[in-house]
């Protein structure tokens, strides 16, 4: 099995047939990328290529949209539901959502006690830090067909430690901060 980091280096030009059918009249959707001012709200860090979000508040403020970035959301508490490419998903604690560019996301809702950690990564950033992993179509297809998976409690703790490490590094500005972040991201 390929590491998850290889998945994110996949080309983003591919849209599967079911997505094509679903998109039909949705071609004029808002494009969700890291430069979107609504996405820039409530972020811990956003440099235009990488964003760390400690909690998704008011998810409907950006929906409906078509993703232009890779989005990884780990549900820590509460629950969320969202339509992805026309299919309804419900996420509970320890569930990990992995969204790929071109996914259409709409009708999102979260419970009042919802808490999450999210990492958003631009496709250009993925290509830059993982240049050798461009051909991992099988992993990309896996997440397009199954964008939600449940983690074991230990895997959730590890994800949280990794996320906290990334957040601590962005809180400590230095001339080498970008290089440190670039070195830490492939560890995912």
């Amino acid at each position: 099995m390929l590491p998850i980091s290889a998945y994110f280096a996949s080309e983003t030009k591919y849209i599967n047939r079911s997505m094509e059918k679903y998109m039909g009249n949705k071609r004029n959707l808002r494009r969700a990328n890291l430069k979107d001012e609504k996405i820039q709200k409530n972020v811990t860090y956003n440099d235009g290529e990488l964003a760390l979000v400690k909690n998704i508040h008011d998810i409907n403020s950006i929906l409906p949209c078509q993703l232009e970035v890779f989005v990884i959301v780990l549900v820590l508490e509460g629950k969320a539901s969202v339509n992805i490419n026309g299919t309804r998903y419900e996420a509970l604690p320890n569930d990990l959502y992995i969204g790929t560019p071109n996914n259409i996301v709409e009708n999102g809702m979260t419970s009042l006690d919802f808490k999450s950690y999210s990492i958003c990564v631009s496709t250009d950033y993925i290509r830059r830090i993982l240049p050798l992993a461009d051909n991992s179509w099988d992993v990309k297809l896996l997440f397009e067909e199954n964008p939600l998976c449940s983690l074991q409690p230990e895997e959730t703790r590890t994800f949280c430690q990794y996320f906290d490490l990334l957040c601590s590094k962005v809180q400590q500005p230095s001339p080498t901060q970008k290089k440190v972040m670039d070195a830490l991201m492939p560890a995912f």
Side-chain angles (χ1 to χ4, degrees):
M1 185 169 172
L2 292 172
I4 198 167
S5 58
Y7 160 73
F8 292 106
S10 301
E11 292 295 325
T12 60
K13 295 176 185 172
Y14 173 80
I15 302 174
N16 65 32
R17 287 184 197 116
S18 61
M19 176 72 142
E20 267 306 317
K21 289 178 189 173
Y22 176 72
M23 286 180 63
N25 63 357
K26 305 246 178 201
R27 297 233 182 251
N28 294 325
L29 282 176
R30 150 195 217 151
R31 306 285 186 165
N33 59 55
L34 298 180
K35 295 176 180 148
D36 186 316
E37 61 188 54
K38 286 190 176 184
I39 291 176
Q40 290 181 359
K41 290 181 180 180
N42 302 314
V43 298
T44 301
Y45 175 79
N46 183 350
D47 66 6
E49 292 183 313
L50 171 69
L52 305 173
V53 185
K54 283 203 175 174
N55 215 348
I56 297 174
H57 297 285
D58 191 22
I59 191 171
N60 277 322
S61 69
I62 64 165
L63 301 180
C65 69
Q66 183 173 3
L67 297 178
E68 288 187 340
V69 295
F70 290 94
V71 178
I72 305 146
V73 179
L74 175 64
V75 178
L76 302 172
E77 294 178 22
K79 65 181 179 178
S81 61
V82 66
N83 282 357
I84 303 164
N85 301 329
T87 303
R88 189 82 176 158
Y89 293 93
E90 185 171 305
L92 302 170
N94 297 330
D95 283 350
L96 184 72
Y97 164 73
I98 300 178
T100 60
N102 298 317
N103 275 352
I104 295 175
V105 182
E106 55 191 345
N107 300 324
M109 295 186 306
T110 59
S111 63
L112 293 176
D113 60 341
F114 181 78
K115 291 185 182 171
S116 65
Y117 280 171
S118 304
I119 301 172
C120 303
V121 186
S122 75
T123 55
D124 290 339
Y125 185 73
I126 292 294
R127 285 189 197 108
R128 186 169 55 81
I129 66 168
L130 299 171
L132 300 177
D134 276 342
N135 297 318
S136 55
W137 289 107
D138 53 340
V139 180
K140 184 176 188 319
L141 287 173
L142 171 70
F143 288 119
E144 283 183 354
E145 294 173 9
N146 303 296
L148 197 63
C149 61
S150 294
L151 301 182
Q152 297 297 318
E154 183 58 36
E155 293 171 314
T156 297
R157 280 191 291 281
T158 301
F159 184 99
C160 290
Q161 290 170 344
Y162 177 73
F163 186 87
D164 290 339
L165 174 64
L166 292 175
C167 287
S168 73
K169 292 302 175 186
V170 299
Q171 302 292 325
Q172 304 167 3
S174 76
T176 59
Q177 180 184 49
K178 185 83 170 137
K179 289 182 181 183
V180 169
M181 293 300 289
D182 289 353
L184 288 173
M185 279 306 295
F188 184 68

